[in-house]
Amino acid sequence: MKNVFKTYPNGVGAIYDLDLNIEKGDFVFIIGGSGSGKSTLIKMLYREEKPSRGEIIVGGVNVAKLRNSKVYKLRRKLGVVFQDYKLLPKLTVYENVAFALEVTGADNKTIRKRVVSVLDKVGLKDKIKEYPDKLSGGEQQRVAIARAIVNNPKILICDEPTGNLDPKISMEIMEILESVNKDGTTILMVTHDINIVEKFKKRVIALKDGRLVKNYERGYFKREDL
């Protein structure tokens, strides 16, 4: 991201002159208070929002100039995990994850193999036929992660993935994300949970009022500096 600004149509400024470089394979926490610009930042990365000015390059693609008709190609390189899961209630666990592959035109054999593999990775192989309303919050988030990684994305964007979960389940979700990162996927995770940030010792980017105020390298975060 180079010299990125974002002002919404109502005149509210969200991001100001942001320069940011994230390397392949990084695991980065994005922190900041309400209104700091965290959500706007990640929405621009997967092109739900466009910057008002500046350049955003994701995997070699200039997202800021990407035509709307080509956005789907960008999103196939990305996985996104939301705080509220966004599972399809009338589909089983298997079907929710498989749907992400079906829209790419993958054949049934490939879908079956990959879906079972990722559900095993997140510890839900025995829940394949269950529906979301029969799952706990932590299990639903595991399904959301499985759906986000089934396409082997280069980048995984997580928006408060532990925000609705208790501390024990949050740690289990973090361990899954660490495993995904070790497999080579770059992870950007928005969080307000400073305890998680301190425990997992990743790179930390702190935003305040739409500006980058701290950029801690891996293991150097200090909450007293904020």
Side-chain angles (χ1 to χ4, degrees), residues 145-193:
I145 292 170
R147 181 183 57 189
I149 65 175
V150 74
N151 276 320
N152 295 319
K154 304 295 185 186
I155 302 169
L156 185 63
I157 297 170
C158 304
D159 190 0
E160 300 275 12
T162 62
N164 292 329
L165 306 175
D166 66 45
K168 179 178 181 295
I169 303 301
S170 294
M171 289 300 144
E172 292 175 3
I173 295 298
M174 284 304 304
E175 287 166 6
I176 292 170
L177 293 177
E178 274 211 306
S179 174
V180 172
N181 178 240
K182 286 176 181 176
D183 287 341
T185 300
T186 304
I187 295 182
L188 285 76
M189 176 176 160
V190 169
T191 185
H192 66 269
D193 191 332

Side-chain angles (χ1 to χ4, degrees), residues 95-163:
E95 291 165 340
N96 262 281
V97 179
F99 183 73
L101 285 172
E102 289 166 359
V103 297
T104 70
D107 61 78
N108 289 336
K109 184 178 179 180
T110 299
I111 291 173
R112 174 76 185 175
K113 181 179 179 181
R114 287 169 66 177
V115 171
V116 171
S117 175
V118 295
L119 286 174
D120 187 34
K121 184 177 182 68
V122 301
L124 287 178
K125 199 172 180 179
D126 61 338
K127 302 281 186 178
I128 277 179
K129 296 181 180 180
E130 298 283 2
Y131 288 88
D133 65 352
K134 300 297 184 184
L135 303 177
S136 68
E139 288 170 336
Q140 290 187 60
Q141 192 61 288
R142 288 168 184 252
V143 178
I145 292 170
R147 181 183 57 189
I149 65 175
V150 74
N151 276 320
N152 295 319
K154 304 295 185 186
I155 302 169
L156 185 63
I157 297 170
C158 304
D159 190 0
E160 300 275 12
T162 62

